[in-house]
Amino acid sequence: MLKVNDINVFYGNIQALKGVSLEVNEGEIVTLIGANGAGKSTLLKTLSGLLKPKQGTIEYLGSSIAGKQAQSIVKAGISHVPEGRRVFANMTVEENLELGAYLRKDKDGIAKDLQRVFELFPRLLERRKQQSGTLSGGEQQMLAMGRAIMAKPKLLLLDEPSMGLAPLMVKTIFSIVKEINKEGTTILLVEQNAHMALSVADRAYVIETGRVVLSGTAKELKETEQVKAAYLGGL
Amino acid sequence: MKKSKVFWLYAIIALIVYAIVQFMITSDQLDMYYSNLLITIAINIILAVSLHLVIGITGQFSIGHAGFLAVGAYISAICTMHFDLPFPVALFIGAVVAALAGLVVGIPSLRLKGDYLAIATLGFAEIIRIIFLNTDYVGGAAGMQITQMTTWTYAFFGVFITVIIIANFTKSRHGRACIAVREDEIAADAMGINTTYYKVVAFALGSFFAGLAGGLFSHNFYIIQPSQFGFLKSFDILIYVVLGGLGSLSGAIIAAILLTVVSMYLTEFPETRMIIYSLVLIIVMLYRPSGLMGTKEITDYFKLGKRSKGGNLDDQ
Ligand SMILES: Nc1ncnc2c1ncn2[C@@H]1O[C@H](COP(=O)(O)OP(=O)(O)OP(=O)(O)O)[C@@H](O)[C@H]1O
Ligand SMILES: [Mg+2]
């Protein structure tokens, strides 16, 4: 479904991604783990068109999306839940969700997906008129995910959904990630919480200072010494 | 349906106010001093509401609004004085040229953010002013003689049209997109909103109405001079928006009315005028740090009232 081939991404003179290649197949949950500053967010931003790769190709459903505008990428079915949730704080929950469907015109479909989001996140239904800035961190994460789902993505990019959440909320979020995936959305999940990420993912990539250093099925990587030592707290 | 009812209610109230004032003017119950105050208030409301779109709704901190006011003032004056065009046509041309100036300024400078955007817009406004200052065709520093044409009717309908268009724009899908840009540009981008496009549109639309205000302004006196459009004028407009509460249309209107009246009365005390004016600002900001209205609208208070009443009925 998604084929990233040898991309280089720069911030000014700083090279954040150095020849990264990876692949996501339809129906999968693929996770990308790595330390702070490894380039995980940079990769997601590049996929969703917020950054342009200097080199390399990104193929999505058979056509190239490298360097395309964010709008056309969203239209093509890739939604990005950015790091740190970034909900529109002075808007209500409902208004945030409506903006998620900003590029869609099918009113019936939008109403249906709104129902679906409220089924996935009943908490959001209770708080639909609340200002988003006053939601708890976990609720904001739910909203950010719900907002992305409103764009009706085929591929969902999640950037550290567990960040700053209590263990119980992390569990909830991850079980919802699985559910979204079961309903047919492919997921690329960036995480620091390697333990959780590897337990829900089918396959995984490990990225270090802008390079992919390891890849394999989630099961395989869980058993790798390098991953155990660096990301699973040496368990 | 309900929304359009509310809209018509406001429109009718506004038109009644207009008719009463117009009657008082024609029957000489309102002297020049007060009718002039009303026209000045109207012009300042247009300026406040147009800048509110740029800063309050779209979150682009522009402090060069007087530049677009100047464009509208001079261009419309050229139309009436040099080309003998009818006043309404001149107003429209002035606004359109101001909008074009907004595009020219906005496209390069809206890549900048925060303080940098503020400085860039301030710089552009000064450039515009200096261009007029050095153009003999419009009288240079000595200024340009203009026939008084602005009446209460023009001023009122200027406000009326501005408020209707900007309020509807804000409520539309496009307005939502602008608010999303204000709230979080990266998230807005990620939703597929063309953030650059909306910043430029808001800026050009804001400049359009500033230009309209300019035409009303220049034809309300007998002379205009570049010195009237300096950065102090930009700050005056900025203060309406900030004092009203960034993001509140009714707040911007209330602040424009309040400060215009205060400043008009203070002209009788020229020595202490700036001190008192500043004190008013400081006091308001101390007691209402997020402006008079915050991001709320007057209508929100009415809605809240209704809702709590509804709740009481349910309880019984
Ligand atoms: N806007 C920027 N300008 C310059 N450098 C940047 C910018 N954003 C990120 N970087 C740099 O690029 C590198 C990769 O950053 P990135 O945000 O992709 O890391 P990450 O893997 O997501 O880290 P984290 O887990 O902390 O979120 C870092 O060295 C970072 O300092
Ligand atoms: Mg990151």
Side-chain angles (χ1 to χ4, degrees):
Chain A
M1 181 180 213
L2 180 77
K3 245 186 216 160
V4 177
N5 193 17
D6 201 20
I7 57 168
N8 292 330
V9 177
F10 290 78
Y11 291 104
N13 289 324
I14 307 162
Q15 185 166 12
L17 294 183
K18 300 161 187 163
V20 169
S21 301
L22 62 80
E23 209 170 307
V24 179
N25 300 313
E26 192 144 9
E28 275 186 321
I29 298 181
V30 173
T31 184
L32 184 67
I33 54 182
N36 288 116
K40 306 178 299 291
S41 299
T42 304
L43 178 69
L44 292 197
K45 285 187 212 159
T46 311
L47 294 178
S48 65
L50 300 181
L51 292 172
K52 317 248 171 282
K54 203 162 204 175
Q55 238 174 46
T57 60
I58 305 173
E59 204 177 286
Y60 166 72
L61 295 176
S63 57
S64 162
I65 56 164
K68 277 206 176 166
Q69 290 228 315
Q71 294 146 271
S72 48
I73 292 177
V74 175
K75 251 185 207 156
I78 300 182
S79 282
H80 182 182
V81 181
E83 188 172 8
R85 305 125 169 80
R86 293 182 172 275
V87 298
F88 301 121
N90 283 315
M91 295 188 192
T92 64
V93 167
E94 204 164 21
E95 287 168 341
N96 265 271
L97 293 174
E98 280 164 9
L99 268 168
Y102 171 77
L103 288 174
R104 292 173 63 185
K105 299 259 154 41
D106 54 323
K107 276 210 171 127
D108 296 343
I110 294 173
K112 229 190 213 162
D113 281 340
L114 192 64
Q115 275 329 107
R116 180 168 164 240
V117 167
F118 285 145
E119 276 160 27
L120 279 170
F121 305 100
R123 195 77 76 85
L124 295 182
L125 180 63
E126 288 166 27
R127 298 174 180 271
R128 62 196 289 177
K129 298 285 179 211
Q130 190 172 327
Q131 293 279 303
S132 309
T134 63
L135 295 174
S136 77
E139 289 161 355
Q140 290 192 11
Q141 184 60 51
M142 293 177 178
L143 179 56
M145 287 167 67
R147 188 177 61 181
I149 291 172
M150 289 303 292
K152 204 172 192 180
K154 298 186 184 96
L155 173 63
L156 186 61
L157 311 175
L158 293 172
D159 199 342
E160 297 198 41
S162 75
M163 187 165 67
L165 302 185
L168 199 62
M169 183 55 87
V170 173
K171 261 195 162 158
T172 314
I173 295 283
F174 274 87
S175 73
I176 294 170
V177 168
K178 276 209 106 142
E179 202 172 324
I180 296 169
N181 176 251
K182 261 196 209 126
E183 290 175 12
T185 309
T186 309
I187 289 170
L188 178 56
L189 170 69
V190 159
E191 261 302 337
Q192 294 265 358
N193 187 336
H195 201 71
M196 266 304 204
L198 289 174
S199 69
V200 296
D202 301 305
R203 288 189 307 112
Y205 291 84
V206 177
I207 181 170
E208 269 171 23
T209 57
R211 287 196 175 84
V212 172
V213 292
L214 271 178
S215 65
T217 65
K219 252 192 206 138
E220 278 166 15
L221 286 193
K222 250 189 196 166
E223 303 306 320
T224 317
E225 289 307 319
Q226 202 181 338
V227 173
K228 273 190 194 169
Y231 302 106
L232 297 175
L235 289 173
Chain B
M1 203 179 87
K2 215 176 152 198
K3 256 185 202 160
S4 72
K5 255 189 203 162
V6 173
F7 167 79
W8 285 114
L9 184 69
Y10 285 117
I12 289 167
I13 292 174
L15 288 170
I16 291 172
V17 170
Y18 160 75
I20 292 172
V21 172
Q22 181 61 20
F23 173 76
M24 287 170 76
I25 291 173
T26 47
S27 62
D28 270 340
Q29 291 174 46
L30 212 61
D31 61 24
M32 275 292 285
Y33 180 80
Y34 285 105
S35 66
N36 211 9
L37 175 62
L38 286 174
I39 291 173
T40 308
I41 287 175
I43 292 169
N44 287 343
I45 290 177
I46 299 175
L47 287 171
V49 170
S50 60
L51 190 61
H52 150 83
L53 175 64
V54 178
I55 298 186
I57 296 299
T58 320
Q60 303 305 304
F61 204 70
S62 158
I63 54 175
H65 218 48
F68 306 112
L69 174 72
V71 172
Y74 274 99
I75 298 296
S76 64
I78 291 169
C79 290
T80 53
M81 295 295 108
H82 291 299
F83 292 95
D84 280 331
L85 291 176
F87 185 43
V89 177
L91 283 176
F92 184 70
I93 294 175
V96 168
V97 176
L100 292 177
L103 284 180
V104 171
V105 173
I107 289 170
S109 53
L110 286 169
R111 299 150 168 261
L112 303 171
K113 291 194 169 66
D115 311 349
Y116 299 102
L117 174 65
I119 291 167
T121 50
L122 189 65
F124 272 114
E126 279 299 289
I127 290 173
I128 290 172
R129 192 176 69 82
I130 287 164
I131 290 174
F132 288 122
L133 187 64
N134 290 298
T135 308
D136 292 334
Y137 186 62
V138 293
M144 187 173 174
Q145 304 276 334
I146 292 164
T147 314
Q148 211 261 356
M149 295 185 191
T150 303
T151 60
W152 162 246
T153 303
Y154 281 118
F156 172 84
F157 284 102
V159 173
F160 195 66
I161 292 167
T162 306
V163 171
I164 287 179
I165 291 180
I166 290 186
N168 278 309
F169 178 84
T170 307
K171 268 189 224 136
S172 73
R173 194 177 114 87
H174 305 296
R176 281 287 174 74
C178 289
I179 296 174
V181 172
R182 174 192 79 192
E183 294 286 295
D184 193 317
E185 203 175 326
I186 292 180
D189 250 325
M191 302 293 92
I193 293 169
N194 189 339
T195 52
T196 313
Y197 171 79
Y198 279 112
K199 284 196 270 183
V200 171
V201 164
F203 202 72
L205 201 58
S207 305
F208 178 90
F209 289 110
L212 174 66
L216 294 167
F217 178 80
S218 60
H219 292 81
N220 194 33
F221 295 100
Y222 299 97
I223 190 164
I224 48 167
Q225 290 169 321
S227 60
Q228 290 167 301
F229 307 99
F231 65 87
L232 281 177
K233 186 74 196 172
S234 289
F235 284 137
D236 275 343
I237 309 167
L238 178 66
I239 288 168
Y240 301 146
V241 179
V242 174
L243 191 79
L246 287 172
S248 169
L249 178 88
S250 37
I253 296 176
I254 293 168
I257 296 173
L258 184 76
L259 291 182
T260 310
V261 172
V262 169
S263 137
M264 198 81 162
Y265 277 110
L266 287 178
T267 46
E268 288 168 32
F269 316 98
E271 307 88 18
T272 48
R273 172 171 178 259
M274 280 325 282
I275 298 175
I276 297 177
Y277 192 79
S278 311
L279 274 178
V280 170
L281 295 181
I282 291 169
I283 290 167
V284 173
M285 289 327 262
L286 277 178
Y287 285 95
R288 311 225 45 156
S290 54
L292 289 171
M293 302 288 295
T295 53
K296 290 206 168 63
E297 298 295 346
I298 281 226
T299 45
D300 293 347
Y301 290 106
F302 295 145
K303 268 185 223 150
L304 280 181
K306 259 185 214 156
R307 195 176 298 161
S308 60
K309 262 183 217 152
N312 287 341
L313 282 178
D314 284 348
D315 290 343
Q316 284 161 5

